[in-house]
């Protein structure tokens, strides 16, 4: 009888111990999830959130824009007027980080008023450094601007906040300008634009300025047919090199390997500059490409897509560029797609690639025994096409032994032999010329490595999302599971 009573007591004690263990384990898991979520957000993130909440709304600035003598601190801005929309409010052009308004000076001059949407100390320091560096430097494509740490007043608290003013650029975007030229089949205008673009990129490099987001929307074509660059959120000057880029730019103009962790360096614009240059040269040779790859699919960018660089062999544009009537377009397109698989820092400047193409054309007329082609995306030879002879890459100042003089930049379309093909790109990264600011890198032979995608290098955001997901799942599932187990244990307890 005693043994029969002792057995239920032991069983009840075992159930209580199991229930207590389960409860402690669940509490530990929940605490771990909460700790993971908290650790995924840094102190700076909380600080940014608080400063965002304390930053004035655009409506607070709009009230001051309607009353410039009160809203602005600068005496000259106090005398200006702001463009008004149909509702009688300042006409805003909203952006990610700032909102732009159009101002008019008493003499009729126009300028842009850039009011920041939120506080970001790193970006504000970024603009201060750029403004100081550009002071006294004349760069034809860069619009001068003035940054004032206390330029505009908020109607909410009466305090002064940062303001940026710059010259208003009339004209059209590069996309709109190209569209009209292709419809008119104005080959020469597109070819001249390509040469002007090469000069623009060269001028930026000479002044050690990096734009950081070269794309069709940030290139304005003035009524005088001059290129002007706008949107300097990604711009870098020597004092900013080595810092993390604040934005990654617009694909597909940017290199596939660029991401939020990419550091600012002197060659950051090389890939996007090459994309635009190749597009201009390709359209100058075949304007019909615009209708095929932009008008017909209602695409809003210049020819290229991200998928073209991701899988070139299956890209119709890649195949069409390699069939271009302009030999230099074929060469440059071959380089462009291969460089998309190289490291971002290995992409050379446009001038260097033009010299490489020139060297290839000169060498094509000489008899050499072996081919110098890339193995990454081999070009298909046409009927009767001979292998490409090898040739050393000449420097910008060293005379070429094949010609006895210094190489000049590219020729017009159709001036090169039909059988010329680009040489192997493997040694291109190591063949840097003096004065380019690039370090000497080891040559890369054989198939090119695949670039690291941007998604694989953003662990912070993905980790935070996963942590939040587990937190929500855990907070919902654990109480339900505990309730079910408690009910079952109580029923079992009563049965004993």
């Amino acid at each position: 009888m005693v043994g029969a009573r002792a057995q239920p007591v032991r069983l009840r004690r075992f159930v209580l111990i199991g229930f207590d263990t389960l409860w402690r384990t669940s509490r530990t898991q929940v605490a771990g999830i909460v700790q993971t979520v908290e650790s995924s957000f840094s102190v700076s993130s909380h600080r940014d959130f608080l400063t965002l909440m304390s930053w004035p709304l655009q409506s607070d600035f709009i009230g001051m824009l309607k009353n410039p003598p009160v809203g602005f601190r600068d005496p000259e801005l106090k005398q200006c007027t702001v463009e008004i929309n149909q509702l009688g409010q300042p006409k805003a052009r909203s952006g990610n980080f700032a909102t732009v308004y159009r101002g008019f000076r008493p003499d009729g001059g126009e300028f842009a008023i850039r009011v920041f949407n939120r506080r970001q100390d790193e970006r504000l320091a970024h603009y201060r450094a750029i403004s100081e560096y550009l002071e006294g430097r004349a760069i034809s494509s860069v619009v001068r601007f003035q940054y004032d740490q206390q330029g505009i007043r908020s109607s909410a608290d009466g305090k002064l906040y940062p303001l940026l003013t710059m010259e208003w650029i009339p004209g059209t975007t590069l996309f709109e300008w190209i569209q009209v030229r292709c419809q008119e089949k104005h080959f020469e205008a597109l070819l001249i634009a390509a040469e002007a673009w090469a000069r623009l990129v060269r001028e930026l490099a000479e002044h050690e300025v990096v734009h950081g987001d070269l794309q069709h929307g940030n290139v304005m074509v003035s009524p005088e047919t001059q290129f002007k660059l706008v949107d300097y959120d990604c711009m870098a000057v020597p004092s900013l090199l080595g810092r993390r880029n604040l934005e990654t730019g617009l694909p597909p103009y940017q290199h596939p390997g660029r991401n939020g962790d990419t550091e600012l360096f002197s060659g950051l614009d090389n890939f996007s500059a090459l994309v635009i240059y190749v597009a201009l040269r390709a359209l100058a040779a075949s304007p019909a490409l615009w209708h095929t790859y932009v008008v017909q699919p209602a695409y809003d960018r210049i020819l290229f897509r991200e998928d073209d660089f991701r899988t070139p062999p299956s890209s119709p544009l890649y195949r069409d560029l390699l069939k271009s009537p302009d030999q230099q377009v074929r060469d440059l397109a071959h380089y462009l797609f291969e460089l998309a698989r190289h490291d971002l820092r290995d992409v050379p400047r446009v001038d260097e690639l033009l010299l490489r193409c020139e060297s290839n054309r000169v060498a094509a007329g000489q008899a050499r025994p072996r081919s110098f082609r890339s193995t990454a995306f081999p070009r298909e030879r046409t009927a009767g096409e001979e292998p490409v002879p090898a040739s050393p890459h000449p420097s910008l100042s060293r005379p070429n032994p094949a010609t006895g003089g210094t190489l000049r930049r590219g020729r017009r379309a159709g001036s090169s032999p039909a059988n010329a093909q680009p040489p192997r790109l493997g040694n291109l990264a190591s063949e840097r010329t003096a004065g380019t600011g690039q370090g000497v890198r080891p040559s890369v032979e054989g198939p090119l490595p695949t670039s690291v995608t941007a998604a694989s290098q953003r662990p912070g955001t993905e980790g935070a999302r996963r942590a939040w997901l587990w937190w929500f799942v855990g907070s919902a599932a654990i109480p339900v599971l505990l309730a079910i187990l408690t009910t079952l244990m109580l029923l079992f307890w009563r049965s004993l």
Side-chain angles (χ1 to χ4, degrees):
M1 191 69 178
V2 175
R5 290 181 179 178
Q7 185 174 2
V9 172
R10 294 194 189 98
L11 186 57
R12 290 176 184 176
R13 188 175 299 170
F14 175 77
V15 171
L16 289 175
I17 293 173
F19 179 78
D20 182 70
T21 303
L22 178 62
W23 174 252
R24 292 177 182 274
T25 304
S26 301
R27 288 180 59 186
T28 303
Q29 291 177 348
V30 172
I33 294 174
V34 173
Q35 185 178 3
T36 302
V37 173
E38 290 179 351
S39 62
S40 63
F41 296 95
S42 61
V43 176
S44 60
S45 300
H46 292 291
R47 188 184 301 112
D48 292 341
F49 177 75
L50 294 176
T51 55
L52 175 61
M53 296 300 294
S54 62
W55 194 260
L57 302 175
Q58 279 300 313
S59 58
D60 300 327
F61 292 122
I62 287 177
M64 294 290 100
L65 290 171
K66 296 169 66 175
N67 191 4
V70 178
F72 294 115
R73 185 179 68 91
D74 189 287
E76 294 184 1
L77 295 180
K78 290 178 179 290
Q79 303 176 12
C80 77
T81 57
V82 179
E83 183 182 13
I84 303 298
N85 59 18
Q86 298 177 351
L87 301 177
Q89 299 294 327
K91 186 176 181 180
R93 298 160 179 84
S94 300
N96 180 32
F97 181 64
T99 302
V100 180
Y101 302 89
R102 188 177 186 179
F104 301 94
R105 296 187 178 90
D107 59 358
E110 302 177 359
F111 65 100
I113 303 171
R114 191 176 174 89
V115 182
F116 298 102
N117 297 332
R118 60 185 182 274
R119 177 176 179 177
Q120 191 174 357
D121 294 337
E122 186 178 4
R123 194 181 297 268
L124 298 179
H126 167 92
Y127 270 108
R128 283 198 298 269
I130 296 174
S131 179
E132 293 173 0
Y133 182 80
L134 295 180
E135 187 70 26
R137 287 179 170 83
I139 305 177
S140 61
S141 60
V142 175
V143 181
R144 299 291 298 275
F145 67 89
Q146 292 78 37
Y147 173 81
D148 191 348
Q149 181 68 23
Q150 296 181 334
I152 187 171
R153 194 179 305 277
S154 168
S155 61
D157 54 12
K159 296 180 180 180
L160 292 171
Y161 290 88
L163 178 71
L164 189 145
T165 57
M166 61 192 310
E167 178 187 352
W168 184 268
I169 304 298
T172 60
T173 64
L174 181 60
F175 183 91
E176 297 167 340
W177 186 86
I178 293 177
Q179 186 172 20
V180 175
R181 302 291 87 76
C182 290
Q183 291 172 351
E184 298 173 348
K185 297 184 179 180
H186 201 331
F187 315 136
E188 186 177 359
L190 291 168
L191 189 60
I192 293 174
E195 297 303 316
W197 179 254
R199 290 195 299 271
L200 180 151
V201 174
R202 190 182 310 116
E203 183 184 30
L204 289 179
E206 290 173 354
H207 289 275
E208 299 180 291
V209 173
V210 177
H211 183 273
D213 190 15
L214 295 177
Q215 44 111 335
H216 67 270
N218 290 339
V219 182
M220 301 295 295
V221 184
S222 68
E224 296 80 16
T225 319
Q226 294 180 349
F227 288 147
K228 295 288 185 179
L229 301 177
V230 297
D231 191 352
Y232 303 152
D233 288 347
C234 299
M235 182 173 281
V237 293
S239 62
L240 298 175
L241 298 182
R243 299 187 183 183
R244 180 182 60 87
N245 60 181
L246 300 179
E247 295 182 10
T248 57
L250 180 69
Y253 300 98
Q254 299 302 319
H255 191 278
R258 183 175 177 180
N259 54 69
D261 297 327
T262 301
E263 294 181 352
L264 298 173
F265 68 101
S266 59
L268 188 61
D269 284 340
N270 290 349
F271 186 83
S272 53
L274 182 60
V275 169
I276 295 176
Y277 183 82
V278 172
L280 289 171
R281 290 295 303 266
L283 290 170
S286 303
L289 292 174
W290 185 264
H291 183 271
T292 303
Y293 294 100
V294 179
V295 177
Q296 192 172 5
Y299 190 50
D300 61 349
R301 296 170 193 180
I302 304 176
L303 294 184
F304 294 95
R305 289 168 169 78
E306 289 184 88
D307 290 340
D308 295 330
F309 297 114
R310 190 176 295 116
T311 55
S314 61
S315 168
L317 177 62
Y318 174 72
R319 294 192 292 269
D320 285 347
L321 291 179
L322 293 187
K323 298 176 183 177
S324 174
D326 187 345
Q327 174 63 40
Q328 194 170 71
V329 172
R330 299 198 294 270
D331 292 349
L332 291 172
H334 183 75
Y335 284 134
L336 174 63
F337 281 89
E338 284 197 5
L339 288 167
R341 301 182 62 181
H342 271 267
D343 186 85
L344 174 59
R345 291 180 176 270
D346 288 336
V347 180
R349 295 192 307 182
V350 174
D351 282 344
E352 292 186 54
L353 284 179
L354 290 174
L355 283 173
R356 172 67 73 130
C357 294
E358 180 75 10
S359 174
N360 181 49
R361 284 196 296 272
V362 172
Q366 304 172 4
R368 294 293 180 93
R370 61 188 181 89
S371 175
F372 205 87
R373 295 172 51 197
S374 171
T375 59
F377 304 118
R379 293 263 304 276
E380 296 181 0
R381 295 198 187 105
T382 58
E385 191 173 9
E386 297 297 331
V388 180
S391 63
H393 175 53
S395 66
L396 291 174
S397 58
R398 189 170 57 223
N400 184 12
T403 60
T406 303
L407 289 176
R408 292 179 288 109
R409 290 185 62 248
R411 305 171 184 170
R412 287 183 174 269
S415 63
S416 58
N419 64 339
Q421 294 185 7
R424 188 186 185 94
L425 191 59
N427 294 326
L428 187 59
S430 61
E431 294 170 350
R432 289 286 189 261
T433 58
T436 59
Q438 301 287 346
V440 178
R441 296 180 177 274
S443 61
V444 181
E445 296 293 340
L448 302 175
T450 304
S451 298
V452 181
T453 60
S456 64
Q457 300 208 7
R458 296 180 181 175
T461 303
E462 296 298 330
R465 290 178 180 174
R466 286 195 295 269
W468 273 110
L469 178 62
W470 279 109
W471 186 84
F472 281 117
V473 171
S475 61
I478 292 177
V480 174
L481 180 61
L482 289 176
I484 294 174
L485 292 176
T486 302
T487 303
L488 293 176
M489 289 182 177
L490 289 176
L491 293 176
F492 183 72
W493 179 277
R494 290 187 179 182
S495 65
L496 295 177

